[in-house]
Amino acid sequence: MSDFTSNFWSVYVAGISLFGIVACLVLLWFSGKAKAMTANDNTTGHVWDGDLREMNNPLPRWWVWLFIITVVFALGYLVLYPGLGTNQGTFGWSAVGQYETEVAKGNKEAEPLYAKFNGMKPEDVAGDAQAMAIGERLFMNNCSQCHGSDARGSKGFPNLTDKDWLHGGTPDKIVETLVKGRIGNMPPMAAAVGSSDEVRNVANYVLSLSASPHDSVKAALGKSKFGACAACHGADGKGNQAIGAPNLTDDIWLHGWGENAIVAIINNGKVNQMPAQDQKLTESQIRVLASYVWSLSNKPAVAALK
């Protein structure tokens, strides 16, 4: 209920809950007090199919007690557990708290499994078959949704199996990325570059940096305007890992390739975010996962360790 800007919905939910319980009690009381008009044979006078007659018998006691037990249970539940709007109940239970308790229990049980890797160098962890099996499971559960089960990524999601790293591909940098997450932000640059034709010229110059197919005349005209981009990507276009600016000379395109794709990014900018994983994974899990990710782009080095 904390997601709402007023307490209306919390009061509404509490009211509905209590109304249902009170309505059940009223129904029981009314059914016990109300008397139907009956004939001398204790029937109501309603007849179906010629000889089926409705009797005016009271509810069985076990049925009445079942209603009463239900009401008592509901009241007890609302006292002990959250059910009346923002009231947390005397037990203080919550779904988040239950989740966190179970996660903490699972992590504690798994601690001995990770203990053997805590004192090892990341490169040595990458050469351990058991650690890599664990790392693969961690990757599949937490990373494959974006980077793919083969870690090769897709449009907008980096390929983790090559040597192209926006923020650096050392084990320590990968740990930093997992712990803190990353936010990539390229602002719209059309105003700084100039007219739409000048934007296209810059796009062709960018394509020329990686020897991709381009219009050489437009590329030559766009070179001077590339200065607006050089603050992040560098005068040579090789990027800057300190701020996550991509290398434009390697023919690896995270957000699409070609003149139109580059023009769209210059005009509209681009924001990418990788969420931090430190709230989901323990320090030991992050280190094993980082070693696994590092191994994906360093297969010869890993093979030498085995």
Side-chain angles (χ1 to χ4, degrees):
M1 293 300 172
S2 60
D3 293 336
F4 296 103
T5 57
S6 73
N7 66 346
F8 168 79
W9 288 108
S10 63
V11 173
Y12 175 81
V13 170
I16 290 294
S17 301
L18 293 175
F19 176 80
I21 294 173
V22 172
C24 188
L25 290 172
V26 170
L27 177 63
L28 283 174
W29 178 84
F30 181 78
S31 63
K33 294 295 184 180
K35 300 295 183 182
M37 298 297 295
T38 60
N40 293 333
D41 58 355
N42 196 37
T43 64
T44 63
H46 297 159
V47 180
W48 293 271
D49 292 336
D51 58 353
L52 294 177
R53 300 177 182 275
E54 181 182 4
M55 303 298 293
N56 186 37
N57 294 326
L59 285 173
R61 284 189 176 276
W62 67 267
W63 202 341
V64 174
W65 277 108
L66 189 62
F67 269 106
I68 295 173
I69 291 172
T70 300
V71 170
V72 172
F73 175 84
L75 291 173
Y77 181 91
L78 293 177
V79 170
L80 299 175
Y81 293 95
L84 293 177
T86 57
N87 178 52
Q88 296 300 309
T90 57
F91 279 178
W93 181 93
S94 70
V96 172
Q98 180 73 21
Y99 166 77
E100 291 176 346
T101 298
E102 292 181 4
V103 168
K105 180 182 177 182
N107 288 338
K108 185 175 182 180
E109 292 175 350
E111 279 180 5
L113 184 64
Y114 292 94
K116 63 176 289 188
F117 309 122
N118 289 339
M120 297 172 60
K121 294 181 179 179
E123 294 82 356
D124 294 333
V125 175
D128 187 287
Q130 183 185 23
M132 291 301 92
I134 296 171
E136 182 182 19
R137 289 296 93 200
L138 290 171
F139 183 88
M140 289 298 181
N141 290 334
N142 299 280
C143 312
S144 63
Q145 296 87 344
C146 294
H147 295 284
S149 59
D150 59 359
R152 294 184 179 277
S154 60
K155 186 177 180 180
F157 301 99
N159 180 352
L160 303 179
T161 66
D162 58 21
K163 290 290 188 178
D164 187 65
W165 295 92
L166 293 176
H167 296 275
T170 65
D172 287 342
K173 273 296 180 182
I174 297 173
V175 168
E176 181 183 299
T177 298
L178 289 169
V179 171
K180 298 180 179 180
R182 298 291 184 187
I183 297 180
N185 186 2
M186 173 179 164
M189 297 297 294
V193 171
S195 67
S196 60
D197 287 338
E198 289 173 317
V199 168
R200 289 201 169 272
N201 292 340
V202 169
N204 276 275
Y205 176 71
V206 169
L207 288 169
S208 74
L209 294 174
S210 58
S212 300
H214 63 280
D215 185 314
S216 58
V217 175
K218 290 182 178 180
L221 294 173
K223 183 176 181 179
S224 61
K225 289 293 184 177
F226 184 76
C229 313
C232 293
H233 295 283
D236 56 2
K238 291 187 176 181
N240 184 350
Q241 290 186 347
I243 58 175
N247 181 355
L248 304 178
T249 68
D250 58 9
D251 200 24
I252 296 175
W253 305 94
L254 181 59
H255 297 288
W257 172 88
E259 180 181 331
N260 289 335
I262 298 173
V263 166
I265 292 176
I266 295 173
N267 286 332
N268 304 319
K270 183 65 68 173
V271 177
N272 249 27
Q273 180 174 1
M274 174 185 161
Q277 300 295 309
D278 60 338
Q279 298 300 313
K280 295 175 58 179
L281 303 174
T282 66
E283 182 180 350
S284 297
Q285 289 173 328
I286 285 176
R287 299 197 75 82
V288 171
L289 177 57
S291 295
Y292 173 77
V293 171
W294 178 83
S295 75
L296 297 174
S297 58
N298 292 272
K299 293 188 182 297
V302 174
L305 295 169
K306 296 181 179 180

